[in-house]
Each structure stands twice: as structure tokens, then as C-alpha cells.
Amino acid sequence: MPAHIAGQLHATPAPVWLPYPDDVNAVMPSLWSDNVAKGDDGVLTIAGHPVTELAERFGTPTFVFDVDDFRSRAGLYRDAYAAAFAPEKGLSGVDVFYAGKAFLCTAVAKWVHEAGLGLDTCSLGEMMIAHAAGVPGESIGLHGNNKSLAELEYALDYGVGRIIVDSLDEVDRLEAVAAAKGVIAPVMLRVTVGVEAHTHDFIATAHEDQKFGLSVAAGKAAEAAARVVDSAHLRLDGLHSHIGSQIFDISGFQVAAARVLALRAQIMSDHGVDLPDVDLGGGFGIRYTSQDTPIPVAEMATSLAEVVAKECRGLGTNVPRISIEPGRAIVSPAVFTLYAVGTVKEVVTDSGVRTYVAVDGGMSDNIRTALYDADYSCTLANRNSDAAPAVVRVVGKHCESGDIIVRDEYMGADVAPGDLVAVPGTGAYCRALSSNYNHVARPGVLAVTPDRVDWIVTPETYSQLFANDPGMADATRQ
Ligand SMILES: *Cc1c(COP(=O)(O)O)cnc(C)c1O
């Protein structure tokens, strides 16, 4: 910091949740995937590959995907839930569906299927990826509040195992499509139970003011159930509830499960049908920074199983097969984004001097900070720093002052152009929500194991970026 500034002003304070680091070069293992470590030289490695080499060979910014970590977390969800919902415990089993919207490409679809998980999709594009990856239709769920005819037709042709119907209009539309094809469509109803969960809070009300699902309180869920049961071309397999994202607390799931199971009991008694499936959705929270305290997977599984068993006992019903749909919790911890630093600025603010570290990506590859006020962590990835820790703000290269990736983090104060910065926990809703803002090409996703480094999504080229602008044909001709 220039002396004339340092003499007058202190650095901006860290937020209360951010602890002063004992060693600014160390990484907190719980924020990083299993196979990430830092060597004595301060270089971050993944499955033994130094990120300095990855940056040189593959460029930055790049999403770096820890394949073995992803596969092992998929297996952890599969096994923990299978154990908690085992028939020996009086339950009826469980299906874990990976929510593909968090991040999907053919390689990920294959790994999900190989791990024995189902795959949730919510568009034609996502179904096409699953199909191309060889995932059988019966392992697929199709979501969406406004599925097109083309999507419904594709789903029936593909043999999708569950179509999660979101509205009364869709009941009619799907019935027409199924009738035209002469098939019976497997239906689950997305119901809104008046529980909205977010992080540590949840709100339980009668109504929810949002676009998804069929309201239980307003009778729309019961009306849809009656129509599906009456249809010769639709088969009602169960009910679905999804209450939010990045949830750290079991209580929202408990209220939601109780309300869904009560509705199931009502439908079964009204129509004399058995509904074999209940899907409790996704939204399991992960650790982006030290302030996040997720519930361990096995503990969450056991608590959910206890709620389901208790509610069904109270209702006097059999126990349905349960499904859950984690997206973020499986993929996010497996990925970090590797950036190169381009500029560093000391900026005088009302609360002191803030250090802005600008990297070669930004809100086009990680919109979550701008969109959801998300917090991320980061580390200097190419060397140790001997300098005192300073609170920095990592920003991107876009023409928006809200283009922030990491709002507050300690880094060695000597961070400088040419350094590498790695941001953990970027597997979910980063590449998936990426954009070409400012005509910046989107980064690729590099899958790393001890023996292999492969693109599972290649970085966008300028000819791909400009493919839809006829005036750019000459500029990109190779
Ligand atoms: C988004 C979504 C999920 C996954 O949410 P995560 O927070 O990534 O676990 C699961 N089910 C439905 C219906 C969703 O919309």
C-alpha cells in the first residue's frame, strides 16, 4: 500500500464470520475436494497435478473437476440413503437423483449413472445430453414448470421414468401427448406445501407465492391428482416437493415431508390408489466458506428416514419409496475455478482501503455472487506468500461494478499480476449459469484424475462465440 494511504487509512475490516488465518497459505480441507492439496512450495495440486502446469497447458480461467471426488460423493449419497431407508428399518428404499441443472455434460451423466444414481433433467437439452450419454430413460426424471410439447414428446419416446407435472395445464397437455402416442405416462405431481427453506431459515405458511408446483392449500394438488387418476393415459406414481436450496437445517424438510405424506394419505383414501413414490427434492447445503455448517450426509439421511417413518405411522399408511435430488451437494465441492490475476488495486472506501484483485474471468463464469449474494473463498495457488494477510476482494473483468467473485477473503498482501487464484466449490450453478457477457468466451471444464487430464467441456472458441453473427463469418474463418 502506498505510504500516503497507509499512513491515513486502515484496511477494510473483514466480515465477522471470516477468521484471521493462522497461515494464509494453508487451505482449509473442508472447502476443497478430496484430492486437492498444497505442496511446501505453496502450489495447489489436484490428484497430484500442480495447477501451475494445468494453467500453462490449458489456460485460464478453467473449471477444474476432481473426478474421483465427484464419484465418491455420489457413492456416499447412494450408500448413506440406502442404509437409512433400508427395508430392515421399516422403510421402503430410496432413489437418489442427481439434479443435472447444477452441472451437466455427457461425462457427468455417465458418472452419475455408473454410481447408480438417477438423473433429473428439466429441458430438452438436458434430456438430449442424458440420452447421448447412454442413461436409460427409466433413470431419468423430467422437471419444469412449462414443459413444451416437444419436451413431453421426447420424454415419452425416451421412456423417461417420471414426469414431474407442475400445473393443471400440463396434466391436459401430457394426457393429449400420451393419448396420441398410445402410451401411459408415468406422473408425479409437484406440489407446493407452503414451506420455503433457505440456508438456516425456513418459512412455513399455507401458501407460496412462486411459479412452481400445485398448491396443496388451494386444492390444486388434489384437483390434479383426481384428473391424473381418472385419465386412461396417465399413471399417478407419487408426489414431489422441493423446498429450496443451500439448506442447512432439517426442520424445513420435516414440515414438508409431513405435509406431502398427509396429502398422499388423503389421495389414497379419496381414490383408493396406492402412491408408491414420494420425492423430497434437493437443496442440501454445502460449505462454500468457514461460515457454512452443513449437516453430515448420513445424519441428514437418518433424520429424513425417521420423519418419513413417524409420519406414515401417524397417518396409518404404508411407507412410500422416497427419492431425493441433490445437485449442488454432489457436484459443487468437486470443482474449483482457476484464474490468473491481471491487476491489483488499492481502493479507498468509507470503511478503509480495499484491495481489489482482478482475474481473467468473472460474472460470466460465476454469477452466484452477484445474483444471490453468495460468499466464496479462494487461495493463492501458484506460490507461498510471506506477506501479512490482507482482506481482498476478487473481481472479474466485466463492465459491471457488481462483477465480484469473492467478496472477502484473506490473501497474502503481495498478490500480484501473474499469480494464480483458485476458488473452490464452483461445480454447481457456475458453468451451468455461465454467459457470454461482454462477448467473453466461456471457460472449459477440465476433468482430472491421477492418470488423466481431459476436457469434459472444451473452452469456447471465438468461432463458436460468433457462430450466430453472420457478419463475423470472415473474422473467424480459419
Ligand atoms: C434445483 C432443484 C434441485 C437441486 O437443488 P440443489 O440445491 O442443487 O440440491 C432438485 N430438485 C428440484 C426440483 C430442483 O428444482
Side-chain angles (χ1 to χ4, degrees), residues 52-400:
T52 41
E53 278 175 26
L54 297 180
E56 214 170 285
R57 265 179 78 192
F58 299 100
T60 56
T62 290
F63 291 102
V64 185
F65 193 116
D66 185 339
V67 180
D68 292 334
D69 175 271
F70 177 85
R71 286 177 180 265
S72 83
R73 195 154 336 84
L76 171 66
Y77 267 85
R78 176 197 62 218
D79 294 343
Y81 276 82
F85 285 85
E88 305 88 81
K89 299 201 170 137
L91 285 116
S92 304
V94 68
D95 296 299
V96 179
F97 284 77
Y98 169 68
K101 74 176 195 231
F103 174 66
L104 192 63
C105 62
T106 51
V108 162
K110 279 190 191 126
W111 296 331
V112 163
H113 182 56
E114 284 166 12
L117 271 52
L119 177 59
D120 268 348
T121 61
C122 61
S123 68
L124 187 54
E126 289 181 4
M127 281 190 287
M128 288 169 78
I129 289 178
H131 208 168
V135 181
E138 71 240 30
S139 304
I140 301 289
L142 176 62
H143 282 275
N145 70 304
N146 186 15
K147 303 175 192 75
S148 67
L149 270 182
E151 285 166 337
L152 295 175
E153 284 169 356
Y154 190 97
L156 291 179
D157 292 344
Y158 185 2
V160 159
R162 42 175 66 179
I163 299 176
I164 297 92
V165 168
D166 193 277
S167 67
L168 292 166
D169 288 329
E170 193 186 335
V171 173
D172 297 340
R173 190 171 302 149
L174 181 59
E175 180 175 43
V177 174
K181 290 186 183 292
V183 298
I184 295 177
V187 171
M188 293 182 77
L189 293 176
R190 165 94 182 241
V191 303
T192 46
V193 292
V195 177
E196 213 179 307
H198 189 69
T199 310
H200 291 285
D201 300 316
F202 78 98
I203 313 163
T205 59
H207 298 277
E208 272 178 57
D209 188 3
Q210 48 110 332
K211 70 171 186 172
F212 291 110
L214 292 145
S215 164
V216 175
K220 303 289 182 196
E223 187 183 341
R227 284 210 215 164
V228 174
V229 168
D230 280 347
S231 165
H233 296 284
L234 304 175
R235 184 185 69 227
L236 186 58
D237 286 338
L239 303 176
H240 177 284
S241 149
H242 172 75
I243 57 172
S245 251
Q246 186 62 354
I247 303 167
F248 290 111
D249 193 326
I250 180 81
S251 47
F253 285 109
Q254 283 170 333
V255 176
R259 291 182 178 180
V260 174
L261 291 165
L263 175 67
R264 172 177 178 266
Q266 186 63 48
I267 293 170
M268 294 207 297
S269 91
D270 287 352
H271 301 285
V273 292
D274 189 27
L275 301 185
D277 291 305
V278 165
D279 192 325
L280 296 176
F284 308 101
I286 65 151
R287 194 156 214 239
Y288 286 107
T289 69
S290 59
Q291 69 190 316
D292 299 323
T293 51
I295 303 172
V297 178
E299 201 178 301
M300 183 65 123
T302 307
S303 304
L304 280 178
E306 282 167 7
V307 176
V308 169
K310 173 171 158 274
E311 292 299 327
C312 290
R313 256 197 321 276
L315 292 160
T317 64
N318 60 2
V319 179
R321 190 172 172 87
I322 296 296
S323 352
I324 58 154
E325 306 174 318
R328 180 197 316 270
I330 291 181
V331 73
S332 229
V335 180
F336 64 82
T337 313
L338 187 62
Y339 298 103
V341 176
T343 64
V344 178
K345 280 183 195 168
E346 308 283 354
V347 176
V348 180
T349 76
D350 291 344
S351 53
V353 176
R354 191 189 299 285
T355 305
Y356 278 85
V357 176
V359 296
D360 50 357
M363 65 193 300
S364 56
D365 60 70
N366 187 349
I367 191 74
R368 290 191 66 260
T369 308
L371 193 58
Y372 304 121
D373 253 339
D375 285 311
Y376 282 91
S377 166
C378 66
T379 195
L380 185 64
N382 57 310
R383 63 179 175 93
N384 282 319
S385 167
D386 299 327
V391 182
V392 304
R393 177 161 289 178
V394 179
V395 297
K397 60 184 275 121
H398 294 283
C399 303
E400 239 356 279

Side-chain angles (χ1 to χ4, degrees), residues 386-438:
D386 299 327
V391 182
V392 304
R393 177 161 289 178
V394 179
V395 297
K397 60 184 275 121
H398 294 283
C399 303
E400 239 356 279
S401 50
D403 175 25
I404 296 166
I405 302 167
V406 183
R407 201 177 308 281
D408 300 285
E409 176 61 291
Y410 281 103
M411 293 185 81
D414 61 350
V415 57
D419 278 332
L420 297 174
V421 170
V423 176
T426 57
Y429 309 112
C430 288
R431 185 57 176 73
L433 280 170
S434 65
S435 74
N436 292 123
Y437 182 42
N438 293 139

